[in-house]
Amino acid sequence: MKKFLALICMITCVFGLTACGSDDELTALEQSKLTSARIYAVDEIIPDLQMFMNDENAATIEGYNSEEIEYMVAENFGINTDGYAFISAVSSFNSAKDTMGNIIEIGTAVAEIDDDQIIVNVDVKGEKKDADVEIVFSNDMFLTLESASLNPTSTMGELMAKAALNTLIGMGTVFIVLILISGIISLFKFIPRLQELFSGNKNAPGAEGADNAVAHIEAQEAAADEADDLELAAVIAAAVAASEGADSADGFVVRSIRKINRARR
């Protein structure tokens, strides 16, 4: 069993080493392309694009279409390029000048093959800060320029300041939202009062008039009941006077009226 496991480990290591070797191993043609791309980027592309870090020079390509740019660059600089890629590269170099200043030194170049492209990265030193130039060529014998950009690098202090600012903005946003939520919750105590105000309580507009109307109706009903009682008392007094043979009911007073339940007899 141990020998079987050891054999599997050996096979795995062999395949791993084979895979690593195939990634790093380049043909003579590929090595030649990488060398040419590095030299081309440092000696031709960057110096030519550096000329367009001047606003006046950058304005000279405005108004031309892609095909015209390709022809002008090939005639004046001997560079095979895509017209739109060159316009984008000029814009990138020109806009980076405000941050890093002019390029004062071009460093070493590192190139790698990525499928149908060759990517070259070059460190450059500027008057204000350093930058990285990324240049992409087509992976063929023409080394056509497909893109180029000048990217100023940030120092550790700048990165820390940016991180602190992002943290401050994030925490500030959280605290502001919490304060707003707390304020909204504190307003909940006024909801019952608003409900009472708009549900028609005694203090609400029109409630007093409704109460007066109810009181007036109750007073009218009480007066009607009292009048009925007086009329009934007068009839009873007259009946009693007649039964006694009196001429009038002035001497009789009805103290109370009580209904008799005849069903109990």
Side-chain angles (χ1 to χ4, degrees), residues 2-240:
K2 293 182 179 180
K3 292 182 178 180
F4 179 72
L5 293 176
L7 179 61
I8 292 177
C9 291
M10 290 179 62
I11 294 173
T12 304
C13 292
V14 169
F15 277 110
L17 292 174
T18 304
C20 294
S22 61
D23 290 339
D24 296 334
E25 184 178 355
L26 297 174
T27 64
L29 178 60
E30 290 174 334
Q31 290 285 2
S32 175
K33 288 181 181 179
L34 291 179
T35 302
S36 300
R38 287 194 296 265
I39 297 174
Y40 195 22
V42 173
D43 295 345
E44 299 291 338
I45 304 298
I46 294 178
D48 291 340
L49 289 175
Q50 187 177 356
M51 296 172 54
F52 292 94
M53 295 179 74
N54 181 293
D55 293 336
E56 184 177 353
N57 292 338
T60 58
I61 65 171
E62 294 180 357
Y64 293 99
N65 59 35
S66 175
E67 290 76 11
E68 292 171 337
I69 294 293
E70 293 174 8
Y71 176 78
M72 291 167 50
V73 172
E75 288 293 318
N76 295 308
F77 303 107
I79 297 175
N80 295 322
T81 181
D82 176 80
Y84 294 111
F86 192 82
I87 294 173
S88 176
V90 169
S91 176
S92 176
F93 271 69
N94 184 258
S95 61
K97 181 181 178 181
D98 295 335
T99 304
M100 63 170 295
N102 291 316
I103 297 175
I104 60 177
E105 183 180 343
I106 300 175
T108 57
V110 177
E112 63 177 353
I113 295 177
D114 184 11
D115 293 333
D116 58 346
Q117 293 180 330
I118 297 177
I119 302 174
V120 181
N121 290 95
V122 185
D123 295 328
V124 296
K125 186 175 182 180
E127 294 175 332
K128 300 177 182 178
K129 62 167 36 181
D130 298 340
D132 173 72
V133 179
E134 182 182 74
I135 301 173
V136 179
F137 297 106
S138 60
N139 185 12
D140 52 33
M141 61 180 295
F142 302 104
L143 292 178
T144 303
L145 178 65
E146 295 186 352
S147 71
S149 61
L150 178 61
N151 307 306
T153 56
S154 299
T155 63
M156 182 60 67
E158 292 173 340
L159 294 175
M160 293 296 292
K162 186 179 294 184
L165 180 61
N166 292 336
T167 303
L168 182 62
I169 293 174
M171 294 181 64
T173 303
V174 171
F175 278 110
I176 291 173
V177 172
L178 291 176
I179 292 172
L180 290 175
I181 293 174
S182 177
I184 294 173
I185 293 175
S186 66
L187 296 176
F188 286 175
K189 62 182 179 182
F190 297 106
I191 294 178
R193 299 181 184 178
L194 294 174
Q195 290 178 339
E196 292 178 0
L197 181 64
F198 292 103
S199 63
N201 59 3
K202 294 183 179 180
N203 296 326
E208 185 177 355
D211 292 341
N212 292 336
V214 172
H216 182 65
I217 293 172
E218 291 177 351
Q220 288 181 343
E221 292 178 352
D225 293 340
E226 186 177 356
D228 293 340
D229 292 342
L230 291 175
E231 291 176 359
L232 181 59
V235 172
I236 294 173
V240 173

